[in-house]
Amino acid sequence: MTRILGISALYHDSAAALVEDGRIIAAAQEERFTRRKHDPSFPAQAINYCLETAGCQLTDLDHIVFYDKPLLKFERLLETYMASAPRGFASFVRAMPIWLKEKLYLKSLLRRELSQLAGVSKQELPKLLFAEHHQSHAASAFFPSPFDKAAVLCLDGVGEWATSSAWLGEGNSLQPLWEISFPHSLGLLYSAFTYYCGFKVNSGEYKLMGLAPYGEPKYVDLIKEHLIDIKPDGSFRLDLSYFNYVTGSTMTSEKFHQLFGGAPRTEADELTQREMDLARSIQVVTEEVVLKLATSLKKETGADYLCLAGGVALNCVANGKLLEEKVFKQIWIQPAAGDAGGALGCALSALYQHCGVDRNTGTLDSQQGSYLGPDYNDEQIGEVLKTRGLPGELMEEDALFSKVADELASEHVVGWFQGRMEFGPRALGNRSILGDPRSREMQSVMNLKIKYRESFRPFAPSVLAEHVSDYFTMSDDSPYMLLVANVADAHRLPEGEDMPAFGIERLKYPRSLLPAITHVDYSARVQTVHKETNPRYHRLISEFSQRSDVPMVINTSFNVRGEPPVCSPDDAIDCFLGTEMDTLVLGNWRLEKSAMPEEAIAKAKQREFELD
């Protein structure tokens, strides 16, 4: 038996993953345990969870692998600062103490943390290996996929040097083909617009993508003329005079601000049509680059299948366009496509490439629906409710599913906490807040009263896989909610004559018979629900379908703005009590908001999180 632990840490989205002879045993982000969104710290709790799930100690492992190479990253920083001296001196002075104190000696830091965690000497620990950042991304995309052979495309901000890379995976082999190096980065270009539009880099990119359909792509030519030179094969170069991320502490330069007519929006400023148009424009440019890169990669490799990873692979609109163009027969995207997924990728890379364990592919991927986190049984949940003095009903399954389906059909908002927590940023039906997609009010209710976030942000549908093509312009599986498709014509409503062509006012006009999951451009971020990977969620949607004639529900992550998705029953209860949710279902336990003690609700509403 070969057991390997993968770790990503100390930048953002720290995580741990444990694999055993070709099977992913466990994977989780540290933020879920510490309740600190995008927590970059050493993932001690995530590691402990993985070891407990595998039933082993750190000393039982064959290898521990870190997801990137800090010395290469340090080389890139030094070369960048030297090349731009003296302009980057202030940034250099800020960065160096951290590197000289911690990151340059990462191997020693990791061994110290691991030995303290295991209560053993450093000499007793397994061998520590290091993978390259994009190698970890590529391995996380290819090795869990159902393909024996596939092209792999990794796009993110930056690893050590690479910002974009292409690979060819076949069996146990993963061969690098080419890369685009820092400072030319599609991820950082998108993040520059995230920053300029007043959102937080590394978390606000989702908002920019959600804002794009309200805008007009009026800045596309300006972006392509001044900021990015896109070659026919998709390779690109940025004009660095418009950016400040190489040597400064912000993303954009004064030249960028002048080009787009003013200073960056602050969080306190109202969103204007300019931000919507900028969002739409950079989205269009991103889609063009992704499509051209994929097309040239298809010509280069002749592969029928494509795997994607890196932060840009979470741009499900671009993914949907790529699928729609049918450049490849099928696409598989790592659900934890960002840095957290690097923990899984480096573990799999070591397993298959370093240790030579045989890789077997089948019709299903080996990601197991990405349900790789902690789970809690009804007895454990009952103990939590007893300790907290909260009334709940332990229901028989048939009665539970019938009751919850009735509530959803009556436009109640339901917190749904089941089985193992998801690995990656998307809620996939185990740590989800659910609603009725037919409701005209549900989007604004869930945004403003449940999630406490911006009203323009869309919600995703979870649809039974066997009915996806009845409602959307796609027939492919999308189990990880990483593909956008349009609502089928049969379910659309015509545009009213008084509906504006662009702008936030479009939000007031229903776009389809399923208004709560239809974005203003008729699109939806689709999750297909499969009986094989989540039978309970599949059953609930089936029961709801019997009452509504609609085989789908609204699915959004179980958290409020600024908080990571819930992990434990306590987390779920806190979120339930602190919002306007009507019902909470924890396993087979059901809680009604109207029955909750007022003092418990008041206490929960005092919680505060730093807004994302």
Side-chain angles (χ1 to χ4, degrees), residues 85 142 165 267 288 401 420:
F142 176 64
S165 65
E267 217 170 338
E288 180 182 338
F401 281 96
R420 295 185 73 177

Side-chain angles (χ1 to χ4, degrees), residues 28 192 404 548:
V404 176
S548 64

Side-chain angles (χ1 to χ4, degrees), residues 381-396:
I381 294 165
E383 283 299 314
V384 171
L385 294 174
K386 183 179 176 183
T387 301
R388 296 184 63 149
L390 297 175
E393 181 184 7
L394 182 60
M395 300 182 70
E396 187 272 325

